[in-house]
Amino acid sequence: MSGHSLPVVPSSGFKFTKEHLVVAVPVAVVAAAGGFLVSHYLRAGSCKKGQVNTSISKDSPKVVHSFDMEDIGTKAVYCRCWKSKKFPYCDGSHAKHNEETGDNTGPLIIKKRDA
């Protein structure tokens, strides 16, 4: 061996035993599961904020509107951003929505073909 010696490290007196492992592993598993559940809950909460429809017929599993062509008249403008106070009709709310989010949504316009 060479003339180099390993530094002496004072012992703290703590020894990791099998009993410590029996306690540490379940605690680590519970902590990891708890962290996962909390992060999952926080992500789920943030997804709600990202929903397109934040207020229209939230008690319904699906919002569906149906119109007869004869009842439309010459032109109808329908909301596609879900922000209109006159939903399902467009009130121009998409302009503010687009400005705030960088989106590019606009209305659905249905009109009779010019003769």
Side-chain angles (χ1 to χ4, degrees), residues 31-82:
F36 171 78
L37 292 174
V38 167
S39 69
H40 183 71
Y41 173 77
L42 292 175
R43 270 191 309 243
S46 67
C47 287
K48 293 279 186 193
K49 293 178 186 173
Q51 288 183 343
V52 175
N53 177 12
T54 57
S55 62
I56 309 295
S57 302
K58 294 305 284 182
D59 57 327
S60 176
K62 186 189 295 185
V63 180
V64 177
H65 293 92
S66 177
F67 301 94
D68 289 329
M69 292 299 291
E70 295 79 22
D71 296 336
I72 290 177
T74 58
K75 180 178 174 182
V77 183
Y78 296 102
C79 175
R80 294 192 307 164
C81 72
W82 293 87

Side-chain angles (χ1 to χ4, degrees), residues 17-38:
T17 64
K18 191 181 221 183
E19 289 78 18
H20 289 114
L21 192 61
V22 168
V23 172
V25 168
V27 168
V29 168
V30 168
F36 171 78
L37 292 174
V38 167

